[in-house]
Amino acid sequence: GGHPIREGGLEQALAEYLATVWVVDFQIGNLLSVLDDELGLGAQTFVVVSADHGPERPWPFGVTDAELNNMGLAAAGASGDKHTILEGGLLVPFLLRWRGAPAGASAACATSHLDLLPTIAELAGVGVSSPTDGRPQRLWLDGGAAAASCTARSREGPPLVHHSKGNLVVHAAAYKLWVYAPSRKGLPTSGGENADTALWHEAIAAATASPVAGRPGRAASRSKSRRLKQRLTVTHGGVQMHWLLFNLSADAAETAPLLLSSGSEARREAVRLYAHLDAWLRENIELQPEKTTRARELKSFRGLPSLVEAAGKKARARGTQARGPRPVRAGPGPHLSFA
């Protein structure tokens, strides 16, 4: 945690930050010097410099060394920070050097640390025996056309799944779907410092406060507010779920959730993403070590209606053997309905 800056300690805190940046730069320079000049291995070495999360959040009790050591910045164009699964907490620095990648090239699409293992295995000519959640990234290896063809914040390949504090998200193509764990009150709980859950309440507030069409300046009526809320909720299996769907290519800050109107493209996309998320959850929920934070988080989602379990029940009713979840292929069949 951070500690409040002592009076007169601002200059020292900034000096410590700049000294830390200098040391990192110096040590990376030393490493590259040894690889290139002393060992002659620079052309054969895949070098990656990255981090594990986005900027730290400002502390609620005033300016602190933790805040200053991140220079009070957030990820450009994104919301959230280290303690959230908003894009601001998930986006990290990622620099690499490889002989096929042109210097100065960059890619705007969404890649992940999960892609490192299959990419390095492909480079080394080694097969990966078990399925992974990542895929080899050609744009890391050759840059150029592959990087230029990327769509901003679009995830090509296996969807990315994140979970934290009773919230699940899945990101595929340009879309990111938030699914909130059921609560006794029906809505995700508010309050505290949970920015992920606050996102839901902010979306509801923004939707219900939007002007009525054709009547600038007038807030939505109660009935219109109720209809808007309904377009941010989905019912399946008698359970009301709270979803938020964002198009990250157009809304990287996650401020404008798409309304999930019946028959809309946004709703179809949300159901497709939920199908993948559900299959991933059912496959992974029992694999976590007992009494860990990750196990507790995943098991909090047991109350969500499962497409995988519904498909299994129908298969058993037909007298056939239900197959295990297959995350990439999972999808709602005609027997599954979303109200």
Side-chain angles (χ1 to χ4, degrees), residues 10-24:
L10 180 61
E11 293 81 0
Q12 179 181 347
L14 292 175
E16 290 173 356
Y17 172 84
L18 295 173
T20 302
V21 173
W22 183 89
V23 169
V24 171

Side-chain angles (χ1 to χ4, degrees), residues 176-187:
K176 180 177 178 182
L177 175 69
W178 289 70
V179 177
Y180 293 88
S183 70
R184 284 179 297 177
K185 295 182 179 179
L187 288 171

Side-chain angles (χ1 to χ4, degrees), residues 31 51 62 84 215 284 292 306 333:
L31 174 63
T84 75
R215 300 181 185 179
N284 285 275
T292 63
S306 172

Side-chain angles (χ1 to χ4, degrees), residues 45-97:
T45 307
F46 186 76
V47 180
V48 175
V49 179
S50 190
D52 60 339
H53 54 70
E56 177 71 273
R57 75 171 69 179
W59 289 82
F61 45 79
V63 179
T64 68
D65 51 2
E67 181 180 352
L68 287 169
N69 286 343
N70 286 280
M71 298 298 284
L73 300 177
S79 301
D81 50 57
K82 167 186 173 180
H83 300 276
T84 75
I85 45 179
L86 289 153
E87 290 300 286
L90 301 177
L91 293 173
V92 297
F94 192 86
L95 307 173
L96 66 86
R97 191 184 74 164

